[in-house]
Amino acid sequence: MSKNITAIYPGTFDPITLGHIDIINRAANIFDNVIVTLAVNTAKKPLFTLDERLEMMHDAVDRFENVWVAHFDGLLVDFARSNNACVIIRGLRAISDFEYEFQMALMNKKLAGEITTVFLMPNEKYTYLNSTIVKSVAKFHGNIDAFVTKLVAAKLHQKFTA
Ligand code: COA
């Protein structure tokens, strides 16, 4: 009997970058279904509203047949359970990510032992990327075309010229 495995890829996505999309592409090639899910309540103060971030995420994953966009408020493992997901995807870009990711994965395992965190490495060209660094380049009108989709680049441009 073949298994139907759903994986979730959580994050703040403020905004989604090509590094995130690289991980989504890898996950979509491994798992049957991938839910890219935005965590509404994190300690971060996002630049983009929830709706703006979801719009950019939808646009970015449109080409994948087995990828969906969602958002959640509360515990990640509760969201995973209610969507019958048994895998949490996290990207590991550099060794500096490891400690934080390891702590989260262990806590999630403690909370929900049936859910497994799977770490995927993005292409090396994205290892230095995060949403904050992209926003800071955009803020000073640097070229961000190599880091984000056309829609995200346009939205960042709008934010910083408004
Ligand atoms: N390419 C580019 N950037 C990447 C990346 C990749 N492949 N992978 C991660 N990043 C960046 C993100 O852009 C983000 O950058 P920023 O800090 O500049 O915004 C940073 O690395 C990591 O953020 P992200 O992946 O969005 O995770 P997060 O740390 O913001 O969110 C959650 C972590 C949402 C998964 C976590 O807070 C959570 O699960 N919250 C729900 C509550 C809960 O269950 N808590 C208990 C968990 S133990």
Side-chain angles (χ1 to χ4, degrees), residues 2-53:
S2 74
K3 291 188 174 176
N4 189 15
I5 298 184
T6 298
I8 56 174
Y9 180 42
T12 308
F13 301 111
D14 184 46
I16 192 163
T17 68
L18 297 190
H20 293 126
I21 298 167
D22 181 283
I23 297 285
I24 293 166
N25 185 30
R26 287 168 203 278
N29 285 330
I30 300 171
F31 301 105
D32 299 294
N33 309 294
V34 177
I35 306 174
V36 183
T37 188
L38 191 159
V40 175
N41 258 329
T42 65
K44 295 180 179 176
K45 294 238 172 304
L47 172 70
F48 290 103
T49 65
L50 174 65
D51 286 344
E52 286 172 329
R53 285 180 282 157

Side-chain angles (χ1 to χ4, degrees), residues 11-12 17 19-20 39 44 74-76 90 93 100 129-132:
T12 308
T17 68
H20 293 126
K44 295 180 179 176
L75 277 182
L76 179 61
R90 293 294 288 169
R93 291 157 300 168
Y100 169 64
L129 211 57
N130 65 24
S131 300
T132 302

Side-chain angles (χ1 to χ4, degrees), residues 100-113:
Y100 169 64
E101 294 297 338
F102 191 60
Q103 187 186 23
M104 264 203 314
L106 286 177
M107 177 55 86
N108 284 330
K109 192 162 80 169
K110 193 82 188 160
L111 294 170

